Amino acid sequence: MTTAPLSLAHRPRRRARGALGTGFLLTPGGVLLVLFALLPLVALLVIGFTSGSGAVSLENFAEMFASPVYMALLGRTLAIAFCVTVVSIALAWPAAWALARYTRPKAKPLILGFVIIPYITSQLLLIYGFVSLIQAGGPIMSLLSAIGLVDPQASIMYTPTANILMLIQESIPTAILVMYSASEQISGSVLEASRTLGASKGFVFTRVIWPLSSAMIGVNFALTFVQTVGAFAEPAILGGPNGQMLGNTISAQLQAGVHQQFAVAMSLVLLVASLAIVGGMTGLLAWSRNAVSGVSKSGRPKQERLTVQTRLVEDALTTENAFSTQGATR
């Protein structure tokens, strides 16, 4: 009879102890986040809105928006980052799906290890390794020359194409890892049930796979786009005069130590533009998920997620059967 009141009496103390423990665990990460993320961002805002004389001003931003050269660089940078991100995800998703669905469990760690190799390799080493492949007389250009597609001494070095290919090569490992995680979260029993019940591959993709993967595609887009939009080493080495990006201009301004406020202002404009594109794409993916399946929440428990997946298959099959019946009656 006294057990229940005692347990109730101890609950506030346990909650307070749990809250104290949670706060203790969150404090180191919070301090590091403030020191190395929030404070640098505040410093950038202060410097970007400061003129050469030290007064608060918008002249740095006005100078950038008034210059056709810098606006062209901004547009080229965003376009290249967007194309690289889309192509990387398009190439990585089939590979990640095959790795998650059709690869033996013992072989998966080995393959994932090869995917992670670029992360433990120097970026400059990767770039110059790519240079050795595409330069005149390199393996790729020699192969293309042997089959008659290019001249023997041709090369794509110092062109926008070389820059884009290098950025895609660097982005694919990230895209594969994220899409592999998304593919693993989709229950194989749901896919098997849909095939057994006669659903077409296109219907299952649009009504089951896409809604359940779109959230991770948004995460993948954000990671890959942010990683690409700030690139400056790749365009400097491979891009040539027509392949430069805004990151090269920002880097040159900061290294020269001249008009650093203007370089910071360019960085802030690039940051805001990148956040707008990532936010717009994330919203578009969420809209497509809701429009197709009505699933609007992610991060469900495993059992609830499985129930949602089953419901998606059932809805897809019901709709497909209705279409088939209408076609037969006609």
Side-chain angles (χ1 to χ4, degrees), residues 1-329:
M1 297 297 294
T2 59
T3 305
L6 286 176
S7 62
L8 292 175
H10 284 293
R11 282 184 183 178
R13 187 181 303 174
R14 292 177 180 175
R15 290 176 181 175
R17 192 180 304 168
L20 182 62
T22 302
F24 177 77
L25 293 175
L26 292 177
T27 297
V31 171
L32 292 177
L33 186 64
V34 171
L35 290 177
F36 298 108
L38 182 60
L39 291 182
L41 182 59
V42 173
L44 288 178
L45 290 173
V46 173
I47 296 173
F49 285 94
T50 303
S51 62
S53 60
V56 178
S57 173
L58 296 175
E59 66 178 29
N60 298 318
F61 299 94
E63 180 181 352
M64 178 181 179
F65 287 117
S67 172
V69 175
Y70 292 125
M71 294 308 296
L73 276 176
L74 176 62
R76 180 192 300 168
T77 300
L78 296 176
I80 289 176
F82 185 86
C83 293
V84 168
T85 302
V86 172
V87 172
S88 299
I89 294 176
L91 294 176
W93 197 356
W97 185 266
L99 180 60
R101 296 293 170 189
Y102 306 112
T103 305
R104 293 179 300 174
K106 292 183 178 180
K108 288 182 181 181
L110 179 62
I111 298 176
L112 289 174
F114 283 113
V115 173
I116 296 173
I117 284 178
Y119 289 103
I120 57 177
T121 305
S122 170
Q123 184 183 18
L124 289 178
L125 184 60
L126 290 175
I127 295 175
Y128 283 107
F130 187 76
V131 168
S132 66
L133 294 177
I134 64 173
Q135 65 183 356
I140 294 179
M141 303 311 299
S142 298
L143 177 61
L144 295 177
S145 175
I147 59 180
L149 295 179
V150 298
D151 296 331
Q153 297 301 319
S155 174
I156 60 172
M157 281 287 296
Y158 311 118
T159 64
T161 302
N163 179 36
I164 292 174
L165 290 177
M166 182 69 230
L167 292 173
I168 291 174
Q169 177 186 338
E170 291 179 341
S171 302
I172 282 181
T174 301
I176 288 179
L177 292 176
V178 176
M179 296 315 300
Y180 171 77
S181 176
S183 302
E184 282 282 344
Q185 291 179 4
I186 299 177
S187 175
S189 60
V190 174
L191 299 177
E192 183 64 27
S194 63
R195 287 191 293 265
T196 303
L197 295 174
S200 63
K201 294 181 178 179
F203 221 73
V204 173
F205 176 80
T206 56
R207 297 299 297 272
V208 179
I209 297 177
W210 175 262
L212 295 172
S213 303
S214 58
M216 293 302 292
I217 293 175
V219 174
N220 202 347
F221 185 91
L223 292 175
T224 308
F225 186 86
V226 171
Q227 168 182 297
T228 305
V229 77
F232 63 93
E234 297 85 348
I237 298 174
L238 296 168
N242 297 324
Q244 298 303 297
M245 299 172 64
L246 193 60
N248 301 109
T249 303
I250 296 173
S251 176
Q253 292 276 353
L254 293 176
Q255 289 178 359
V258 180
H259 207 356
Q260 293 185 355
Q261 293 90 345
F262 181 61
V264 173
M266 287 192 293
S267 302
L268 292 174
V269 172
L270 184 61
L271 174 63
V272 173
S274 301
L275 291 177
I277 292 178
V278 170
M281 182 58 62
T282 303
L284 181 62
L285 290 171
W287 173 84
S288 69
R289 178 175 66 247
N290 298 337
V292 170
S293 65
V295 178
S296 59
K297 295 182 179 180
S298 58
R300 292 180 171 84
K302 183 176 180 180
Q303 185 62 35
E304 186 179 351
R305 188 168 63 246
L306 182 59
T307 303
V308 172
Q309 295 176 11
T310 305
R311 180 174 59 81
L312 290 175
V313 174
E314 292 175 351
D315 292 345
L317 291 174
T318 302
T319 306
E320 187 176 21
N321 291 334
F323 288 158
S324 302
T325 304
Q326 291 178 3
T329 55

